[in-house]
Amino acid sequence: MARIKVKLVSWDEIVDWAWNLAKIIKNDGYKPDVIVALARGGYVPARLLCDFLDVENLLSIQSQHWTEAAKAEEKAIIKFPYTVDLHNYRVLVVDDIVDTGDTLKLARDFVAENWKPKELKTAALQWISPVAKFKPDYYYIEVKDWTWFQYPWTRLEDTYQFIKRMMTETYKETGKREWSYKEIIDGFKEWYGIDVGDRYYKDALNILIEKQFIKYDEANDKYVLLTM
Ligand code: ADP
């Protein structure tokens, strides 16, 4: 049994989901003049929607989570709050998934207030309905059971963070510090129920070495947990 629910999403599925999302937007009669990609997750979906909806203008806005010191809560902020004049344009703000919904809502409000478009709508490939505080105007998949979607554009980042979490938790439970490559791969597949392939595992381990979370012990052919 996997420890967290993860679904590995392929590039082909992304194209298919974006194509279907475009159809929903088109059937509703909305024709945006400008698409705004919500960085970073919205980039690929936004670019595909430009293609499928025949939109030439693509802008971006980045939102980021800010952990307030001394506070457990996390707050989303607009990272580079620049202003453009969009009062003559119909706008569509695009993200990959709406989970809590904080970031897409924040981006929508920021664009409405500062870029003042003629019309403004939001779209995401997926919407996690039981947890989201914000529902996008358009979505293709309604997710009813919370899942981590391992998108192709975060594969390496997710892989190293997943390995890090597995090693940290295992250390807390058992005190284990040393892992062979095979133990890491077998553990990863068991913990997360997916297989991302050797090149991602190898690059992820190298990143964790660079970050000085683990070191490679050549004599024993083992990866050793350094911190904690
Ligand atoms: P929050 O504001 O709490 O981060 P959002 O719903 O705004 O929640 O999600 C922000 C970004 O984090 C998403 O655009 C996506 O890139 C990533 N993300 C959040 N939840 C998931 C998930 N369940 N699976 C994959 N990526 C996710």
Side-chain angles (χ1 to χ4, degrees), residues 41 65 95-103 128 146-149 151:
H65 267 105
D95 207 353
D96 47 5
I97 188 165
V98 178
D99 190 325
T100 69
D102 289 345
T103 53
I128 311 188
W146 191 92
T147 303
W148 183 263
F149 292 90
Y151 297 122

Side-chain angles (χ1 to χ4, degrees), residues 11 14 18 35-51 58-63 80 82 93-97 123 125 151 153-154:
W11 284 110
I14 292 300
I35 286 181
V36 178
L38 186 43
R40 295 173 291 164
Y43 261 76
V44 174
R47 182 61 186 92
L48 290 168
L49 285 181
C50 283
D51 192 21
L58 176 59
L59 294 179
S60 176
I61 191 166
Q62 183 158 19
S63 128
F80 304 104
Y82 63 97
V93 180
V94 176
D95 207 353
D96 47 5
I97 188 165
L125 299 176
Y151 297 122
W153 50 82
T154 51

